[in-house]
Amino acid sequence: MTSHLRIGIFCPYDNHGLSHAAAIQAETDLVLKAEALGFDEAWISEHHFDAGSSSPSLFALLGYLAARTTRIRLGTAAVLLPFRPPVEVAEDIATIDILSGGRLDFGVARGGPFPEQNRNFGISPDETRPRMLEALHLIQQLLAEKEVSHHGRYFHVDRLRLTPRPLQDPVPTWIASASEAALDDAAAHGHGLMAGLTSTLDDVRQMLRSYRERNAAADPRLVVSRFYCSAPTRDEAIAEAAPFLQQFFDRRRQLSAGLGALVPPTNIEGFLARSLIGSHDEVRAKLADLAVAGPRSVLLVPTSTEAARRCDLLETFRAHIVEGRPSD
């Protein structure tokens, strides 16, 4: 069922009310567990000005993970390019690629609808998409060409030579967006696509269809993230996953609304339906349906607020979903 699917994890670095040091250690343990279990990929998020998240310094985290792992590929999901100097990003990408032995996957995004990011970085929401696309174009030039001159709307360099250079040529690149402009850019340059945790099967199919309409010869390499929790019964899985999902979406809605806004509790029913949550049999069927839709990789977010339990859930996925062992 999953023989052609790559399975990985998505690490949002949420601290679940604990310390940031504990959150970073917990996600490190999760990546190490994923590698030990034979998972293919681990992708790291970037969030800023969020007391519930511990991953503003995405490249520092990746450098540490590169030193702690040997096989699993490490991805950025995603670098928020509108808020970062592209020359520095290119230098960091090259350095992390060297440190990891050529295991880096480079995903970019414009940044979610979080007003504090735009306010504190001084970037208008209307500018984030064009800044992202121009920055990505410049980074791709720097990674691929010996000498680069670029004079655009936002960024200017003259006869710049990137040092050091990455091991991979090219460094695999993804865009986390389904906008028309992002799809145009991804298809034109052969970048992969990333779909979010709340994307439906129809969303996945539409992203792939739109990409292939633009460039039938390119591989969209679609990466899809999914909340995961399976148990012998559906009720057991939902009971365990619900507190995690409630916390996750309540916080993100608050961030989207802005400081001081009154936000009612999130109705998580729809998110449960779009996740790999249920009995072992149900999750196997959901994963099979997702595989048919056509992604290259599925990234799991184990839905427990307890760090050790999230590692246990990866073992559960391996045993009951991939290997199909019967429930105890």
Side-chain angles (χ1 to χ4, degrees), residues 12-20 22-23 50-54 247 251 305:
Y13 278 80
D14 291 348
N15 65 22
H16 304 290
L18 304 176
S19 71
H20 291 293
D50 174 8
S53 183
S54 306
Q247 183 186 96
R251 197 176 87 248
T305 57

Side-chain angles (χ1 to χ4, degrees), residues 16-35:
H16 304 290
L18 304 176
S19 71
H20 291 293
I24 290 172
Q25 183 60 57
E27 293 292 68
T28 300
D29 291 342
L30 193 68
V31 173
L32 296 177
K33 172 64 78 170
E35 179 169 73

Side-chain angles (χ1 to χ4, degrees), residues 247-312:
Q247 183 186 96
F248 184 94
F249 285 108
D250 282 351
R251 197 176 87 248
R252 275 157 178 74
R253 286 186 68 207
Q254 185 66 61
L255 290 168
S256 296
L259 294 174
L262 294 177
V263 178
T266 308
N267 183 338
I268 64 170
E269 291 301 316
F271 301 121
L272 284 166
R274 282 176 262 174
S275 301
L276 296 175
I277 295 172
S279 69
H280 300 317
D281 290 342
E282 183 180 1
V283 169
R284 277 194 296 272
K286 284 185 172 184
L287 187 62
D289 290 341
L290 185 55
V292 170
R296 188 201 75 152
S297 303
V298 174
L299 310 181
L300 308 180
V301 178
T303 53
S304 174
T305 57
E306 298 179 10
R309 180 62 184 148
R310 291 198 292 278
C311 288
D312 291 343

Side-chain angles (χ1 to χ4, degrees), residues 2 14 46 51-52 56 70 80 90 97 111 135 140 177 194 203 216 244 291 297 305:
T2 61
D14 291 348
E46 177 183 336
T70 59
L80 304 184
D97 197 50
Q140 292 296 306
S177 175
M194 304 187 79
D203 293 334
F244 179 100
S297 303
T305 57

Side-chain angles (χ1 to χ4, degrees), residues 61-277:
L61 294 171
L62 284 167
Y64 180 66
L65 291 173
R68 295 292 307 276
T69 58
T70 59
R71 181 199 56 80
I72 196 168
R73 289 193 65 84
L74 302 171
T76 64
V79 179
L80 304 184
L81 281 188
F83 311 131
R84 289 182 174 269
V87 174
E88 290 184 16
V89 171
E91 292 173 333
D92 286 336
I93 290 295
T95 303
I96 300 295
D97 197 50
I98 292 169
L99 290 173
S100 66
R103 291 185 285 129
L104 184 65
D105 291 324
F106 176 39
V108 305
R110 62 180 291 196
F114 304 136
E116 287 300 290
Q117 288 185 156
N118 298 94
R119 184 176 71 83
N120 287 301
F121 283 116
I123 303 297
S124 165
D126 295 336
E127 288 188 1
T128 54
R129 181 169 288 115
R131 287 181 75 97
M132 176 191 77
L133 293 175
E134 184 180 330
L136 179 58
H137 176 67
L138 175 54
I139 291 165
Q140 292 296 306
Q141 283 185 289
L142 291 168
L143 293 173
E145 301 173 15
K146 291 183 178 179
E147 185 176 276
V148 175
S149 293
H150 172 93
H151 301 283
R153 178 179 175 185
Y154 301 106
F155 308 110
H156 304 270
V157 300
D158 188 46
R159 300 177 63 187
L160 180 60
R161 293 171 175 260
L162 184 69
T163 305
R165 309 206 56 84
L167 296 181
Q168 297 181 98
D169 183 18
V171 176
T173 301
W174 279 260
I175 295 181
S177 175
S179 72
E180 294 298 309
L183 282 167
D184 286 344
D185 192 82
H189 296 95
H191 303 324
L193 299 176
M194 304 187 79
L197 285 158
T198 60
S199 58
T200 66
L201 281 178
D202 283 343
D203 293 334
V204 169
R205 296 187 190 101
Q206 182 57 45
M207 287 179 73
L208 292 171
R209 187 181 308 117
S210 296
Y211 185 101
R212 288 171 175 141
E213 286 172 355
R214 290 165 166 83
N215 187 346
D219 181 359
R221 293 174 286 131
L222 180 63
V223 175
V224 180
S225 299
R226 282 290 185 263
F227 296 109
Y228 163 70
C229 183
S230 70
T233 70
R234 173 179 172 79
D235 287 346
E236 289 176 89
I238 290 176
E240 180 165 22
F244 179 100
L245 293 181
Q246 195 70 58
Q247 183 186 96
F248 184 94
F249 285 108
D250 282 351
R251 197 176 87 248
R252 275 157 178 74
R253 286 186 68 207
Q254 185 66 61
L255 290 168
S256 296
L259 294 174
L262 294 177
V263 178
T266 308
N267 183 338
I268 64 170
E269 291 301 316
F271 301 121
L272 284 166
R274 282 176 262 174
S275 301
L276 296 175
I277 295 172

